[in-house]
Amino acid sequence: MTAKSAAAAARATVYGYPRQGPNRELKKAVEGYWKGRVTAEALRTTAAELRAANWRQLADAGVDEVPTGDFSYYDHVLDTTVMVGAIPGRHRDAVAADPLDGYFAMARGTQDVAPLEMTKWFDTNYHYLVPELGPDTVFAADPAKQIAELGEALALGLGARPVLVGPVTYLLLAKPAPGVPADFEPLTLLDRLLPVYAEVLADLRAAGAEWVQLDEPALVQDRTPAELDTAAHAYRALGSLTDRPKLLVASYFDRLGDALPVLAKAPVDGLALDFTDAAAANLDALAAVGGLPGKRLIAGVVNGRNVWINDLEKSLATLGTLLGLADRVDVAASCSLLHVPLDTALERDIEPPVRRWLAFARQKTAEVVTLARGLTLGTDAITGELAANRADLAAPATSPITHDPAVRARAAAVRDTDARRSQPYAERAAAQRAHLRLPILPTTTIGSFPQTGELRTARADLRTGRIDTAGYEERIRAEIQDVVSFQEKAGLDVLVHGEPERNDMVQYFAEQLTGYLATEQGWVQSYGTRYVRPPILAGDISRPEPMTVRWTTYARSLTDRPVKGMLTGPVTMLAWSFVRDDQPLGDTARQVALALRDEVDDLEAGGTSVIQVDEPALRETLPLRTVDRPAYLAWATEAFRLSTGGVRPDTQIHTHMCYAEFGDIVQAIDDLDADVISLEAARSHMQVARELAAHGYPREAGPGVYDIHSPRVPSTEEAAELLRTGLRAIPAERLWVNPDCGLKTRGWPETRASLENLVAAARAVREELSAS
């Protein structure tokens, strides 16, 4: 590739960066504030220091234009709700009295006021807080956060670009507020919202912004002609403003499809497009509309969602093709780097040669900078980087980590009958009722109980050698005893062992399976202050020995009631890991499913009659485009059935899902053929129960009656009322009573009170049913 002219030098940029800090300083400060140990001023100081450190790090790496406004105490969509003044009525007084406490109340709720609903951000494991809008919503601009953070970056002497959620995506992500008819469409509020965005843009320009980025990822989903017309209207209006900065409209996660010509024609100053494999069609589509003459194009060629190194030569070829399609071409990651860990250099337990296969946020930033330099100066300027990159890309193919012939042979031998139960559901249900002898409206929990500070300390002490294995296991046994004893006293019908030995529902299994790499500091934000360390699935998967049988068997020895065996399903094991990209996902899922099948069979052989295989990520991983979904759902549902298909008819298979739009996958939920499914439903007021009923779902279900992502304790009557709502959709003989999700993040006092109220609610409703 020849060098570009100096006047057209490609700039390097990113759309967002991990918020937490190298040691999760933000998490500690926010949670300290909630507990009263950190003042509001100290929290703001910590946040400002983290932002400044991120920007300096990016600038020092060679990034020409840093993002501002992407940093958040909890969630950037909630930040947008504040920016446009769309505060739900029940939270207005709290926000007016104390904006910071009111902000957190919207996110977490209080004892008296429910939080906003939470769901997944497109097909990622990041959760956002859903805006609540209605025909009476009044918007009002409040860009104080965005202006302040821009000012901080400019004060450091940096080129900065504010990043906002775009108005179309914001409205498409919103839901009707409680009490508003379900058929209300928030997108009808666009003309009311656009003047607020106009005011925000003018204020940002006055504060020194040359460019402002408006993120519109909702446009990569299937959109109706009316929705595309609305998007065209929005950007005609914003682009025609006279008092505004230059506008960059960004999309990511997939191809734009019919939305690309709409944005290309809009009177905006640039587009930021995804050109990774998932969105490769954007290249041909951009050429088909004649490119972006006179406009800026930011090319997202470095994948912002996985942890594998970039193919620099392939990316340079894409960038070279794009040079003729826009006035200027700059280089970026495909989306915010929020979705990947911070730095591979922190991973001391991964062998250095293997670590060279990986790129976290800092390494991806370096790749972006290298590509921008190569695009500007030509490949001769980066010959060393290209040579090293070629060698690193080739290394996995010859590594023993990645290929196991025995695993591949077993996966190839799978038959269709392996993924089917031996009897239909009606016959299984009768056998399970006779075997388990549960009451109507049986009560249970989802799996985990509070991970106390003592448990985390014990795990850390074992890791550092301060206690030995015997001492650690004694602590785990004591915790299981306490959890089982509490459940018996509370009156729960199907118990769990509480998972005190588990650090994470994916990582725990990954550390016991071949083919996975674990990280020490690979933290990624899931929601609020909840961070996870997704393991890295680098090779073929097998289970050398049982993973959960020992502790499940111990819990069963403490009680006469059923105890669930708890596993994480194959789709979730993939979705919440960083997965190898050298073979189809379906092939990898089959390997994981076979490893889990071995565990399911061992649990059953040991006497466990209820086994839960969680698949909270089934909806999350659903492709954004409808045309791509059947192929995904075929291998995803087959993988679940393959993991559970070998059990006896009287063994009851449960699954669990949470915080997603379940209506999109009701048929897939049916296709799993699980005997019982538990689902998040408290924040959405039993919406999923109605969706299951509309589909004619024939099996048992437990829509949650306790929102575990809020510290508030639901009253007995509140849980009972949700149960009554559920009974209007699901017959009593098929309805279970359970929380929304696992209790790992909750404290013991609220857990005890909430579960006692849950059991009391179930008893009250049973009495109502028996009296009717």
Side-chain angles (χ1 to χ4, degrees):
M1 180 182 294
T2 57
K4 294 173 62 178
S5 68
R11 285 182 282 188
T13 189
V14 296
Y15 308 157
Y17 207 65
R19 302 161 178 165
Q20 68 267 24
N23 293 301
R24 291 182 294 161
E25 290 88 348
L26 182 62
K27 170 186 172 70
K28 296 168 187 175
V30 170
E31 291 181 351
Y33 176 74
W34 293 343
K35 294 173 182 176
R37 295 199 295 257
V38 172
T39 66
E41 185 58 34
L43 172 59
R44 294 186 181 100
T45 298
T46 296
E49 290 171 349
L50 289 172
R51 287 192 296 269
N54 282 351
W55 293 328
R56 289 192 184 100
Q57 187 180 107
L58 289 168
D60 290 346
V63 168
D64 302 290
E65 194 176 44
V66 301
T68 67
D70 63 300
F71 186 93
S72 179
Y73 287 129
Y74 203 97
D75 167 48
H76 60 278
V77 180
L78 180 60
D79 296 343
T80 308
T81 292
V82 173
M83 183 188 80
V84 302
I87 310 299
R90 65 186 182 279
H91 287 288
R92 285 178 194 149
D93 289 347
V95 171
D98 187 311
L100 186 58
D101 286 346
Y103 174 90
F104 287 129
M106 287 190 285
R108 306 173 70 232
T110 66
Q111 186 55 42
D112 300 318
V113 182
L116 295 174
E117 183 180 341
M118 186 167 65
T119 195
K120 300 292 177 69
W121 175 251
F122 298 93
D123 57 348
T124 75
N125 188 35
Y126 178 82
H127 301 64
Y128 72 93
L129 290 154
V130 181
E132 296 177 357
L133 305 177
D136 298 329
T137 297
V138 176
F139 297 111
D142 180 9
K145 171 187 183 295
Q146 291 73 19
I147 289 171
E149 291 178 12
L150 171 64
E152 291 171 14
L154 295 177
L156 295 174
L158 304 175
R161 182 183 72 253
V163 177
L164 312 176
V165 176
V168 178
T169 289
Y170 180 76
L171 294 175
L172 287 170
L173 293 178
K175 284 189 172 183
V180 173
D183 60 355
F184 173 74
E185 296 184 4
L187 198 58
T188 59
L189 300 176
L190 180 68
D191 284 335
R192 203 180 299 177
L193 181 61
L194 288 176
V196 172
Y197 269 81
E199 185 176 342
V200 170
L201 291 171
D203 288 347
L204 286 170
R205 182 191 184 196
E210 179 186 3
W211 287 87
V212 168
Q213 177 174 320
L214 295 167
D215 284 358
E216 293 287 7
L219 296 180
V220 306
Q221 297 173 298
D222 297 321
R223 291 296 163 204
T224 66
E227 289 169 337
L228 293 175
D229 287 345
T230 300
H233 167 67
Y235 283 99
R236 278 197 304 271
L238 294 178
S240 300
L241 295 170
T242 56
D243 185 12
R244 66 167 178 83
K246 295 177 183 177
L247 298 183
L248 176 77
V249 181
S251 70
Y252 36 81
F253 299 150
D254 212 318
R255 55 200 183 275
L256 268 172
D258 292 339
L260 181 53
V262 171
L263 295 180
K265 294 175 186 174
V268 297
D269 306 282
L271 298 184
L273 303 180
D274 187 344
F275 291 101
T276 58
D277 290 343
N282 277 339
L283 180 58
D284 290 339
L286 187 61
V289 299
L292 300 175
K295 296 183 179 181
R296 179 187 187 187
L297 172 65
I298 296 185
V301 292
V302 172
N303 195 315
R305 295 183 57 180
N306 72 19
V307 295
W308 308 107
I309 58 172
N310 184 260
D311 185 334
L312 296 179
E313 290 180 328
K314 180 180 177 182
S315 294
L316 281 170
T318 298
L319 291 167
T321 303
L322 292 170
L323 283 176
L325 296 176
D327 184 57
R328 65 168 299 123
V329 176
D330 294 325
V331 186
S334 61
C335 61
S336 171
L337 296 176
L338 171 73
H339 305 290
V340 296
L342 184 60
D343 189 0
T344 63
L346 302 175
E347 303 307 326
R348 294 166 294 181
D349 288 345
I350 299 177
E351 293 295 328
V354 176
R355 204 159 61 221
R356 291 186 61 84
W357 306 351
L358 307 175
F360 293 177
R362 284 191 181 181
Q363 289 71 40
K364 289 181 182 295
T365 301
E367 290 175 337
V368 167
V369 171
T370 295
L371 289 166
R373 192 166 77 252
L375 185 61
T376 300
L377 303 175
T379 53
D380 288 349
I382 57 170
T383 53
E385 290 93 331
L386 292 175
N389 181 246
R390 280 192 296 271
D392 293 338
L393 289 169
T398 58
S399 170
I401 293 174
T402 59
H403 292 83
D404 183 332
V407 170
R408 291 175 175 255
R410 185 185 182 194
V414 167
R415 302 164 299 172
D416 290 344
T417 54
D418 293 330
R420 290 200 296 269
R421 299 285 293 274
S422 61
Q423 291 184 343
Y425 169 70
E427 296 177 19
R428 302 196 312 259
Q432 291 159 19
R433 289 188 184 109
H435 179 55
L436 296 172
R437 303 176 65 83
L438 297 172
I440 196 168
L441 303 180
T443 56
T444 190
T445 64
I446 303 306
S448 62
F449 266 66
Q451 284 273 327
T452 63
E454 292 81 2
L455 283 173
R456 289 191 292 270
T457 297
R459 197 174 293 123
D461 287 347
L462 176 67
R463 193 165 54 245
T464 58
R466 286 191 290 268
I467 61 173
D468 60 13
T469 300
Y472 172 73
E473 291 184 350
E474 183 58 35
R475 179 70 188 87
I476 297 301
R477 276 191 292 272
E479 185 69 19
I480 292 173
Q481 290 172 7
D482 289 345
V483 168
V484 170
S485 175
F486 163 74
Q487 292 174 91
E488 286 192 315
K489 291 175 182 175
L492 288 154
D493 299 304
V494 177
L495 313 188
V496 297
H497 80 288
E499 305 176 13
E501 79 286 5
R502 303 187 189 183
N503 47 14
D504 175 81
M505 66 180 291
V506 171
Q507 184 182 356
Y508 176 78
F509 293 99
E511 289 174 347
Q512 300 182 75
L513 295 169
T514 66
Y516 268 103
L517 305 173
T519 68
E520 285 186 87
Q521 299 295 329
W523 298 104
V524 177
Q525 186 180 21
S526 178
Y527 64 87
T529 61
R530 168 77 168 136
Y531 289 84
V532 295
R533 282 185 294 163
I536 298 168
L537 197 165
D540 291 337
I541 300 298
S542 64
R543 186 203 69 148
E545 58 187 25
M547 302 179 286
T548 67
V549 175
R550 177 187 179 195
W551 292 120
T552 304
T553 302
Y554 176 67
R556 287 181 47 249
S557 74
L558 302 174
T559 180
D560 293 330
R561 299 182 193 182
V563 175
K564 286 193 285 190
M566 302 298 306
L567 306 176
T568 301
V571 176
T572 301
M573 287 296 298
L574 267 61
W576 294 356
S577 303
F578 294 112
V579 181
R580 63 190 303 176
D581 59 359
D582 61 341
Q583 67 181 22
L585 277 175
D587 293 354
T588 306
R590 179 171 285 194
Q591 293 180 3
V592 177
L594 288 169
L596 293 174
R597 184 185 181 99
D598 293 341
E599 189 71 13
V600 169
D601 291 349
D602 283 348
L603 282 167
E604 183 186 60
T608 301
S609 298
V610 183
I611 301 171
Q612 182 168 308
V613 181
D614 288 345
E615 283 293 19
L618 183 69
R619 170 60 181 84
E620 169 191 317
T621 318
L622 188 71
L624 298 176
R625 292 283 181 178
T626 303
V627 70
D628 301 325
R629 293 177 178 179
Y632 158 72
L633 290 172
W635 66 252
T637 55
E638 185 225 37
F640 180 89
R641 294 194 307 273
L642 183 59
S643 67
T644 58
V647 299
R648 298 188 310 266
D650 63 350
T651 296
Q652 191 173 71
I653 295 295
H654 289 226
T655 191
H656 168 68
M657 298 180 190
C658 57
Y659 300 98
E661 301 299 319
F662 301 116
D664 296 336
I665 58 165
V666 174
Q667 182 58 55
I669 291 173
D670 200 345
D671 291 342
L672 296 177
D673 197 26
D675 300 306
V676 182
I677 183 169
S678 55
L679 303 118
E680 169 269 325
R683 287 197 186 189
S684 59
H685 311 288
M686 287 283 164
Q687 176 181 328
V688 70
R690 296 186 288 273
E691 292 168 342
L692 291 174
H695 174 76
Y697 186 73
R699 288 175 284 279
E700 298 176 37
V705 298
Y706 162 25
D707 172 19
I708 66 87
H709 287 306
S710 171
R712 64 187 299 272
V713 175
S715 68
T716 297
E717 179 53 30
E718 180 183 339
E721 186 55 36
L722 281 172
L723 271 180
R724 297 182 192 109
T725 301
L727 282 167
R728 289 194 281 272
I730 300 171
E733 63 270 17
R734 293 197 282 110
L735 187 66
W736 283 64
V737 185
N738 47 259
D740 273 349
C741 200
L743 301 166
K744 175 181 179 179
T745 61
R746 300 270 53 92
W748 263 109
E750 70 213 57
T751 295
R752 288 192 186 94
S754 297
L755 290 180
E756 288 166 353
N757 289 352
L758 179 151
V759 172
R763 288 172 176 164
V765 176
R766 284 175 194 154
E767 291 177 4
E768 294 170 9
L769 291 171
S770 64
S772 63

